[in-house]
Every structure is written in C-alpha cells, then in structure tokens.
Amino acid sequence: MLWRYAHGNVLEVGVGTGKNFPYYPPNVTVTGIDLADQMLPGRVPEPKQLRMPVELWEGDARLLDFPDNSFDTAGGHVCLLSVPDPVRGLAN
Ligand SMILES: C[S@@+](CC[C@H](N)C(=O)[O-])C[C@H]1O[C@@H](n2cnc3c(N)ncnc32)[C@H](O)[C@@H]1O
C-alpha cells in the first residue's frame, strides 16, 4: 500500500491506468512510469480529475534515469510480479 506511506515527491513504478491515484494524500506529487501501452490516452485519468499533480512517463523500471534523490517515496503496487528482472528494477 504505497499510498499509505506516500509523502512529498512520489515515484510509482508500473502505474498502469492510475487506479491508485484516488488513494494518495492530496499533498503529494506523483510521477508514474509504465510501459507505453498501459498509458494510452483515455485509459489514465485526466490531470484535472485528480487531487494532486501527476506526471506520467513512458519507461522501463529497469532503465530509469532520474537523478539521485529525486523522490521522497518510491514503490509500486502489484508491479514487480510483471517486471522480468525485479531485482534490477528495485536497484534502479
Ligand atoms: C498488474 S499491473 C498493476 C498496475 C497498477 N499498479 C495497479 O495497481 O492497478 C502491473 C503493471 O506493471 C507494468 N510493468 C511491467 N513491467 C514493467 C517494467 N519493466 N517497467 C515499468 N512498468 C512495468 C505493467 O505494464 C502494468 O501496468
């Protein structure tokens, strides 16, 4: 339950169609990454429908290149089971 502990700048890996967005506290900023086909227009809520700022990026959990210390909270929900190399995904 990433959202329960989320604070500050949040990285959600494997954000999918954004089903977790309603559970975040309103004072966070969420950066969601997922493989491209999960975030087709119309599948993810529009930013204006959300209580907090959200940025979505196409990306692979194993190849993230955000600068160090970009996020206060990082995690995913039922995501690692579908990442082929979960240890590499966590290390990034
Ligand atoms: C079971 S879905 C869960 C989606 C969302 N977290 C939720 O709770 O509804 C797993 C998600 O992980 C994403 N995923 C799988 N491998 C990934 C990878 N290597 N990098 C980023 N996302 C990945 C999938 O595209 C999918 O959207």
Side-chain angles (χ1 to χ4, degrees):
M1 284 189 242
L2 169 64
W3 51 87
R4 180 175 290 181
Y5 306 101
H7 66 278
N9 290 324
V10 178
L11 174 66
E12 183 176 339
V13 174
V15 67
T17 54
K19 285 185 183 157
N20 298 310
F21 293 161
Y23 303 107
Y24 283 108
N27 55 345
V28 300
T29 298
V30 177
T31 299
I33 70 125
D34 205 303
L35 304 173
D37 59 350
Q38 294 297 313
M39 297 193 296
L40 293 173
R43 296 188 69 186
V44 177
E46 293 291 323
K48 64 186 177 208
Q49 296 176 296
L50 302 171
R51 294 177 297 139
M52 69 288 180
V54 171
E55 270 191 30
L56 297 173
W57 294 82
E58 175 186 338
D60 187 321
R62 297 164 293 173
L63 304 170
L64 298 182
D65 61 356
F66 294 106
D68 288 349
N69 302 313
S70 292
F71 301 102
D72 303 297
T73 311
H77 182 246
V78 290
C79 170
L80 288 179
L81 54 94
S82 54
V83 175
D85 183 351
V87 172
R88 188 167 168 201
L90 280 174
N92 278 327

